[in-house]
Amino acid sequence: MNTNNTPIAELNNICKQFRLPTGAEIKVLENISLQIRSGEIVALLGPSGSGKSTLMRILTGLIAPTTGEVLAYGKPLPGFHPRASIVFQNFALYPWLTVYENIAMGLEWLKLPDDEVRKRVRQAVDKVGLEGFEEAYPKELSGGMKQRVGIARAIVVQPELLCMDEPFSALDVLTAENLRAEVLSLWLDHKVEITSVLFVTHDIREAVFLANRIVVLGSNPGSIRIILQNDMPHPREMRSPAFLAMIDRIHDIITNAIIPDEIAAVTPTAVQRHIEPLPYVSPGEILGLLEILDDQNGSIDMFELAQKIGKDFGSTISVAKAAELLDFVDTPKHNVIFTDIGKKFLASDMNERKILFKRQLLSLRLYVVISGMLQKSARLNLDEEIILEQLAIVFPDEDVEKLFDTMVGWARYGELFGYNADDKVLYLDTGQETAG
Ligand code: ADP
């Protein structure tokens, strides 16, 4: 056990480049300095491709950095880290070995006596709840049970630092939630020798739920944007105001960092404080609602509205919410009423409507962020995949493809940005003047 406060693991000014088969070099990590100390849980949070796994592999000695220093307990790392072990996202189990044998593989290189191996494997099985499954093969197990084997194999070596590379992301939501809480309780209740945990995630809630320190990484090349301290006591309640405030703060950090100054300067002052998803509603449906509202002298009850537009109540609320998000209507108590902007929009001709719509889009943080990303990109365009990844980080509960389609539909209407379905590329619409 590490009694003084020397970091268990330390990276100083790490850079990592990979050579591609074409001979080209890609820089994956730049100037990474990070220390992992005894007693902490550290999250590496970032979009996929930001180098999180590479960073973890360098820290544990699985691969070497291109430049920079890797230390274990203050000394240069001699190959693998002597007191760290890794849990992988896809379990990495040997299909031809039983659960027992897979766990015992973790001890292979320690060359322990057989009875010590048996004792340690039994303890690990016990700690992760695999009793009765020792003789099963991986293919007979659910994803959650497979990952229990992955965790048992990592803890059987009695590491001080447990590293986990997106350990719960291949599991369904409920299984992930259970296993996450169990791993936390292993650490909190000192049921294992592990004093520190380092884990990779792209899920903000997972980071806030588990970690004491959250390292936010940006991509191209991967670098540390900020390290946040999270002192909320365990157990953390995901719906508590403090938890939600922390999530908001990280959203802000991630989104603000990708809004370039030029965009920030031209956007209206009343941009939403927090990023919000869009209701999955088309501009046509929003326009339809405004027209009905106009027929009703600018005010209608939500139930009546549902009848008029022939949709169920939930869908009607979504349309009203979409119009409200754009500040075209207000929705006091089950009523929908016009705002001045909504009235003006409806009274405008096609061209003016588009200009007004665009202006309203730019009061939504989502559009400010995405326009900012496009503006920053070399050719004012970005692959759909990159946007989907960002959306998945910021809105883990949303159907990001539906959100993407909705976002593009609105942006096309407001001629803010367009989408080329053949190349799957989103591009900034530079042909239009911004509304003054
Ligand atoms: P993350 O874990 O954040 O998704 P990774 O560390 O897996 O990111 O990868 C970061 C980048 O490095 C990706 O673009 C990936 O394709 C690239 N990369 C990772 N390993 C290699 C490798 N061995 N050779 C070439 N490129 C690699």
Side-chain angles (χ1 to χ4, degrees), residues 381-392:
N381 67 30
L382 284 171
D383 289 348
E384 171 183 344
E385 201 186 320
I386 293 177
I387 307 281
L388 288 176
E389 275 167 11
Q390 290 286 348
L391 293 176

Side-chain angles (χ1 to χ4, degrees), residues 18 26 28 47-54:
F18 284 112
I26 53 161
V28 173
S48 87
S50 57
K52 303 180 297 294
S53 298
T54 305

Side-chain angles (χ1 to χ4, degrees), residues 153-203:
R153 189 182 48 194
I155 64 173
V156 78
V157 298
Q158 302 178 347
E160 181 167 17
L161 173 63
L162 180 69
C163 296
M164 303 192 288
D165 191 351
E166 305 225 12
F168 312 115
S169 65
L171 308 176
D172 65 78
V173 177
L174 223 59
T175 308
E177 210 168 277
N178 282 337
L179 206 50
R180 197 182 287 131
E182 281 185 45
V183 169
L184 181 65
S185 96
L186 283 179
W187 177 82
L188 277 176
D189 304 341
H190 305 288
K191 290 182 209 154
V192 283
E193 294 72 12
I194 295 157
T195 65
S196 302
V197 178
L198 173 69
F199 70 101
V200 163
T201 185
H202 59 256
D203 179 345

Side-chain angles (χ1 to χ4, degrees), residues 61-265:
L62 286 180
I63 57 173
T66 307
T67 57
E69 193 181 36
V70 190
L71 305 177
Y73 303 110
K75 302 208 178 72
L77 190 63
F80 296 134
H81 192 291
R83 297 290 321 273
S85 60
I86 302 193
V87 177
F88 295 97
Q89 177 184 6
N90 293 321
F91 326 128
L93 305 181
Y94 297 107
W96 60 89
L97 298 182
T98 63
V99 165
Y100 181 96
E101 289 162 342
N102 262 291
I103 300 171
M105 275 308 275
L107 295 170
E108 186 78 346
W109 57 280
L110 287 181
K111 303 276 174 251
L112 298 173
D114 284 352
D115 51 346
E116 177 67 14
V117 170
R118 271 195 296 278
K119 187 174 130 215
R120 288 223 204 164
V121 173
R122 213 172 302 123
Q123 282 171 348
V125 161
D126 198 38
K127 280 171 189 156
V128 302
L130 277 170
E131 305 88 343
F133 289 89
E134 292 89 337
E135 298 312 316
Y137 285 89
K139 68 170 189 309
E140 302 169 82
L141 302 177
S142 65
M145 293 305 267
K146 282 186 194 146
Q147 194 54 302
R148 284 176 195 271
V149 181
I151 295 168
R153 189 182 48 194
I155 64 173
V156 78
V157 298
Q158 302 178 347
E160 181 167 17
L161 173 63
L162 180 69
C163 296
M164 303 192 288
D165 191 351
E166 305 225 12
F168 312 115
S169 65
L171 308 176
D172 65 78
V173 177
L174 223 59
T175 308
E177 210 168 277
N178 282 337
L179 206 50
R180 197 182 287 131
E182 281 185 45
V183 169
L184 181 65
S185 96
L186 283 179
W187 177 82
L188 277 176
D189 304 341
H190 305 288
K191 290 182 209 154
V192 283
E193 294 72 12
I194 295 157
T195 65
S196 302
V197 178
L198 173 69
F199 70 101
V200 163
T201 185
H202 59 256
D203 179 345
I204 299 182
R205 281 183 312 183
E206 182 167 290
V208 175
F209 183 75
L210 291 175
N212 311 108
R213 277 201 302 150
I214 301 170
V215 180
V216 181
L217 293 171
S219 30
N220 298 320
S223 54
I224 295 180
R225 276 191 189 152
I226 193 169
I227 301 183
L228 296 166
Q229 193 70 30
N230 180 11
D231 292 326
M232 250 180 275
H234 290 288
R236 293 173 182 165
E237 172 48 61
M238 287 203 179
R239 280 178 297 273
S240 73
F243 196 96
L244 296 173
M246 187 80 185
I247 301 264
D248 273 350
R249 193 169 158 219
I250 299 176
H251 273 174
D252 282 353
I253 288 165
I254 293 176
T255 56
N256 284 338
I258 50 186
I259 302 174
D261 298 344
E262 316 87 76
I263 277 279

Side-chain angles (χ1 to χ4, degrees), residues 162-406:
L162 180 69
C163 296
M164 303 192 288
D165 191 351
E166 305 225 12
F168 312 115
S169 65
L171 308 176
D172 65 78
V173 177
L174 223 59
T175 308
E177 210 168 277
N178 282 337
L179 206 50
R180 197 182 287 131
E182 281 185 45
V183 169
L184 181 65
S185 96
L186 283 179
W187 177 82
L188 277 176
D189 304 341
H190 305 288
K191 290 182 209 154
V192 283
E193 294 72 12
I194 295 157
T195 65
S196 302
V197 178
L198 173 69
F199 70 101
V200 163
T201 185
H202 59 256
D203 179 345
I204 299 182
R205 281 183 312 183
E206 182 167 290
V208 175
F209 183 75
L210 291 175
N212 311 108
R213 277 201 302 150
I214 301 170
V215 180
V216 181
L217 293 171
S219 30
N220 298 320
S223 54
I224 295 180
R225 276 191 189 152
I226 193 169
I227 301 183
L228 296 166
Q229 193 70 30
N230 180 11
D231 292 326
M232 250 180 275
H234 290 288
R236 293 173 182 165
E237 172 48 61
M238 287 203 179
R239 280 178 297 273
S240 73
F243 196 96
L244 296 173
M246 187 80 185
I247 301 264
D248 273 350
R249 193 169 158 219
I250 299 176
H251 273 174
D252 282 353
I253 288 165
I254 293 176
T255 56
N256 284 338
I258 50 186
I259 302 174
D261 298 344
E262 316 87 76
I263 277 279
V266 299
T267 50
T269 44
V271 176
Q272 274 176 315
R273 170 90 187 84
H274 298 301
I275 195 159
E276 267 185 56
L278 309 174
Y280 307 144
V281 161
S282 70
E285 289 171 296
I286 299 172
L287 198 60
L289 177 147
L290 298 182
E291 280 166 355
I292 290 172
L293 205 52
D294 197 37
D295 283 348
Q296 303 292 315
N297 296 323
S299 170
I300 190 169
D301 171 88
M302 198 77 85
F303 294 97
E304 213 182 320
L305 178 65
Q307 280 180 349
K308 292 231 181 270
I309 57 178
K311 287 186 187 289
D312 61 58
F313 193 61
S315 311
T316 306
I317 289 184
S318 291
V319 181
K321 273 209 169 131
E324 189 172 29
L325 205 56
L326 292 163
D327 212 6
F328 290 155
V329 302
D330 274 333
T331 56
K333 304 195 176 119
H334 291 293
N335 278 317
V336 184
I337 57 171
F338 258 135
T339 60
D340 289 344
I341 298 175
K343 265 185 227 154
K344 185 173 167 199
F345 177 79
L346 201 65
S348 299
D349 65 23
M350 190 62 183
N351 204 32
E352 285 168 347
R353 277 186 186 172
K354 283 183 178 294
I355 292 173
L356 200 55
F357 201 85
K358 179 175 184 172
R359 190 155 71 179
Q360 295 313 103
L361 290 183
L362 285 172
S363 70
L364 303 181
R365 201 154 196 93
L366 177 64
Y367 284 96
V368 175
V369 168
I370 303 291
S371 310
M373 287 172 68
L374 290 169
Q375 190 101 13
K376 260 172 109 180
S377 66
R379 294 197 312 279
L380 303 183
N381 67 30
L382 284 171
D383 289 348
E384 171 183 344
E385 201 186 320
I386 293 177
I387 307 281
L388 288 176
E389 275 167 11
Q390 290 286 348
L391 293 176
I393 290 179
V394 177
F395 304 116
D397 292 333
E398 294 290 317
D399 176 338
V400 287
E401 295 195 354
K402 250 175 151 173
L403 178 57
F404 180 85
D405 289 345
T406 307

